[in-house]
Amino acid sequence: NQRSYMGGKNSKAKKESQKKVEIKPAVKTEKPKESKVPVQPPKVQENIPTKGNAFIVFASSEPNSFCSSMKNTIVDSIKKAGYAVEISDLYEMKFFGCLDKSDFTKLEDPDYFKPQAEQTAANRRNFLTYSAEVKKEHEKVKACDIMIFVFPLYWWGFPGIMKNWIDRILSMGFAYGAQGAATLKGKKAMILYSTGGTKNDHEASGMEVAAHKMMHQGVFAFCGITPLKPFVAYHVPWVDDAVRKKYLEEVAQIMLNIDKREE
């Protein structure tokens, strides 16, 4: 009996040991697929406007002229100084119209055109009866902190197309007069121009003093605008490229430090 018992026990254990142990295969874990799109670093905005708005009124009909190079230098440098830039390129805009009835959508007196009376009437109507062209330029002027006029000197003054702009946009009731007295107060303006004459020619003839007085006192100060010291590129058609380059370098430095420009 004891043998039978022991034999039965061993037999059972043997059978148990012979059972195959099922080994489950390891679960394969796939590596996460790498994105084919490269991770872009955050963009760093350069020259974010922080100082204010600069409005450039530009009058040169030739894109390759020295005046055009001067304008391009101004744009690049004043942006680096922290200003947002708006430009009115008068020839590109074909801003040829003179101050006349077409600047208004409604006339106070259709039978007798008096510019200042019509400008004053348009201002009373909240500027709504100005033409779209005039209203657009008014908005540029109102939005800016500094106006920069770039042009070749014609007959001791602004080119005709720029004089048209002044006549039409710096209008009574908007830029000067009882209604417009405060509109442009606190804004600054600067002129930068090229000329064929030498510095000695301009000083000896009184041309420079006369031109600057007309522009500074006759236009800017009259409208409550603070005029800054002008920049003149002399004798441009006859100087060599080295001198022209020096002029542009001076312009760049002026714009980079425009907040320190003396009056």
Side-chain angles (χ1 to χ4, degrees):
N1 289 338
Q2 188 177 1
R3 286 180 182 175
S4 175
Y5 172 76
M6 293 300 293
K9 186 175 180 181
N10 290 341
S11 177
K12 186 177 180 181
K14 187 177 181 180
K15 286 180 181 179
E16 290 292 335
S17 66
Q18 288 175 346
K19 285 184 179 180
K20 292 182 179 179
V21 178
E22 292 183 6
I23 300 173
K24 293 182 179 181
V27 178
K28 292 182 179 180
T29 57
E30 295 183 1
K31 291 182 179 180
K33 293 180 180 180
E34 293 183 4
S35 174
K36 293 182 180 181
V37 180
V39 178
Q40 299 291 338
K43 291 183 178 179
V44 178
Q45 286 184 295
E46 296 181 357
N47 303 330
I48 301 172
T50 56
K51 297 287 186 66
N53 300 310
F55 177 31
I56 299 171
V57 185
F58 175 62
S60 176
S61 58
E62 174 49 61
N64 295 314
S65 68
F66 178 80
C67 266
S68 292
S69 296
M70 196 156 57
K71 180 259 297 179
N72 295 337
T73 300
I74 291 166
V75 172
D76 291 343
S77 301
I78 205 165
K79 281 182 177 180
K80 289 177 182 176
Y83 283 83
V85 176
E86 181 78 62
I87 303 172
S88 282
D89 186 332
L90 302 183
Y91 283 98
E92 187 177 82
M93 293 163 60
K94 301 188 184 303
F95 202 88
F96 299 129
C98 298
L99 173 55
D100 61 15
K101 293 180 180 181
S102 66
D103 277 349
F104 309 91
T105 58
K106 181 180 180 180
L107 293 172
E108 188 78 354
D109 186 350
D111 299 321
Y112 184 84
F113 181 65
K114 187 176 180 181
Q116 289 182 323
E118 295 299 340
Q119 289 173 340
T120 302
N123 299 336
R124 284 202 308 269
R125 302 184 190 106
N126 201 26
F127 304 96
L128 296 176
T129 53
Y130 274 114
S131 68
E133 188 175 47
V134 172
K135 284 193 285 188
K136 187 175 181 180
E137 296 304 295
H138 275 169
E139 290 304 313
K140 293 177 187 177
V141 173
K142 286 194 290 186
C144 79
D145 298 287
I146 181 169
M147 287 186 283
I148 299 172
F149 293 79
V150 188
F151 55 95
L153 190 73
Y154 288 178
W155 296 108
W156 294 28
F158 299 110
I161 196 169
M162 187 171 276
K163 182 61 165 60
N164 285 344
W165 187 93
I166 292 168
D167 289 347
R168 298 172 63 193
I169 307 308
L170 300 184
S171 54
M172 186 172 187
F174 171 74
Y176 67 95
Q179 289 175 278
T183 306
L184 307 186
K185 189 176 181 179
K187 298 184 187 296
K188 297 178 180 179
M190 181 177 176
I191 56 173
L192 298 94
Y193 63 88
S194 63
T195 179
T198 66
K199 184 175 177 64
N200 288 338
D201 292 337
H202 280 247
E203 290 177 348
S205 65
M207 184 191 305
E208 189 163 280
V209 173
H212 295 175
K213 187 172 184 178
M214 181 273 291
M215 298 172 194
H216 284 183
Q217 188 174 331
V219 178
F220 302 146
F222 190 74
C223 296
I225 303 167
T226 301
L228 301 180
K229 183 180 177 181
F231 174 82
V232 185
Y234 298 101
H235 213 46
V236 168
W238 292 277
V239 296
D240 59 25
D241 287 343
V243 175
R244 295 190 191 101
K245 183 180 179 182
K246 185 180 178 183
Y247 283 149
L248 295 178
E249 288 171 351
E250 287 183 55
V251 169
Q253 286 303 310
I254 290 169
M255 292 300 120
L256 289 170
N257 299 282
I258 191 66
D259 295 331
K260 300 175 183 177
R261 187 69 173 175
E262 63 268 33
E263 298 177 11

